[in-house]
């Protein structure tokens, strides 16, 4: 069994996934929770990690290959030189491991104690306040007997 990539039609990723699963095709359609500002309010929404693409795990000899292009929601199989482009298992495992880490960090709530792992504040305990964009967070640290707000990269936080 090897992983391959399918391109789905615009805004039909869930439909393609559902129809592929009905055909017993092992699929991986990674989604992450994203926080966006809509109408002046922060809204959390699940979005595909790779918009427009679904990973499938099939043998080259599987009869399902002939049905893929006619599956509702599927646009085409990603290929090079007329052959489907294989994806290494290690790449898929890395994506899954990365998603687990993102979901752990996504659970941080205001007032939760965190520790800073890297940078000038390495090893210091802090209190999470808010996200500052997509890659930074605002935390409170005790410095010189006073609470200070500091903006740090989200990747340095450990719960």
């Amino acid at each position: 069994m090897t992983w391959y990539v399918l391109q789905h039609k615009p805004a039909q990723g869930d439909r393609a996934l559902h129809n592929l699963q009905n055909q017993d095709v092992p699929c991986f359609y990674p989604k992450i929770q994203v926080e966006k500002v809509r109408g002046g309010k922060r809204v959390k929404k699940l979005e595909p990690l790779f918009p427009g693409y679904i990973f499938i795990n099939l043998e080259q000899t599987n009869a399902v290959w002939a049905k893929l292009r006619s599956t509702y929601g599927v646009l085409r199989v990603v290929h090079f030189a007329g052959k489907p482009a294989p994806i290494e298992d290690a790449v898929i495992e890395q994506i899954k491991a990365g998603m687990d880490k993102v979901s752990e960090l996504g659970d941080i709530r205001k007032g939760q104690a965190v520790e800073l792992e890297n940078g000038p504040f390495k090893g210091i305990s802090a209190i999470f306040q808010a996200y500052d964009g997509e890659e930074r967070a605002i935390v409170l640290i005790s410095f010189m007997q006073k609470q200070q707000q500091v903006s740090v990269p989200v990747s340095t936080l450990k719960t």
Side-chain angles (χ1 to χ4, degrees), residues 121 124-127 139-150:
F121 302 109
I124 293 179
S125 295
I127 299 172
V139 296
L140 285 178
I141 62 170
S142 293
F143 185 71
M144 296 179 66
Q145 300 171 343
K146 193 173 177 186
Q147 293 278 337
Q148 299 288 331
Q149 274 193 354
V150 180

Side-chain angles (χ1 to χ4, degrees), residues 109-114 125-130 138-141 147:
R109 305 259 186 259
K110 182 175 181 174
Q112 184 175 345
V114 294
S125 295
I127 299 172
F128 180 82
Q129 292 299 296
I138 297 173
V139 296
L140 285 178
I141 62 170
Q147 293 278 337

Side-chain angles (χ1 to χ4, degrees), residues 24-132:
D24 295 324
V25 176
C27 301
F28 177 51
Y29 189 45
K31 290 185 174 185
I32 57 172
Q33 189 155 4
V34 179
E35 198 172 286
K36 294 189 173 188
V37 177
R38 301 222 185 223
K41 295 183 179 181
R42 286 190 172 266
V43 177
K44 290 185 179 183
K45 181 180 174 185
L46 269 180
E47 288 189 359
L49 186 59
F50 302 101
Y53 298 96
I54 297 175
F55 298 94
I56 60 169
N57 195 3
L58 287 176
E59 297 269 344
Q60 277 283 352
T61 58
N62 196 321
V64 174
W65 281 101
K67 300 177 188 176
L68 288 179
R69 281 201 48 220
S70 60
T71 300
Y72 288 118
V74 173
L75 184 62
R76 67 184 183 95
V77 177
V78 176
H79 62 278
F80 296 101
K83 293 184 180 179
I87 306 290
E88 304 245 348
D89 288 342
V91 172
I92 300 296
E93 293 306 318
Q94 236 179 347
I95 293 169
K96 287 179 180 179
M99 287 183 57
D100 291 343
K101 185 171 182 174
V102 167
S103 67
E104 288 171 15
L105 289 174
D107 293 340
I108 300 176
R109 305 259 186 259
K110 182 175 181 174
Q112 184 175 345
V114 294
E115 187 174 328
L116 302 172
E117 289 187 311
N118 298 329
F121 302 109
K122 181 178 180 178
I124 293 179
S125 295
I127 299 172
F128 180 82
Q129 292 299 296
Y131 287 103
D132 186 18

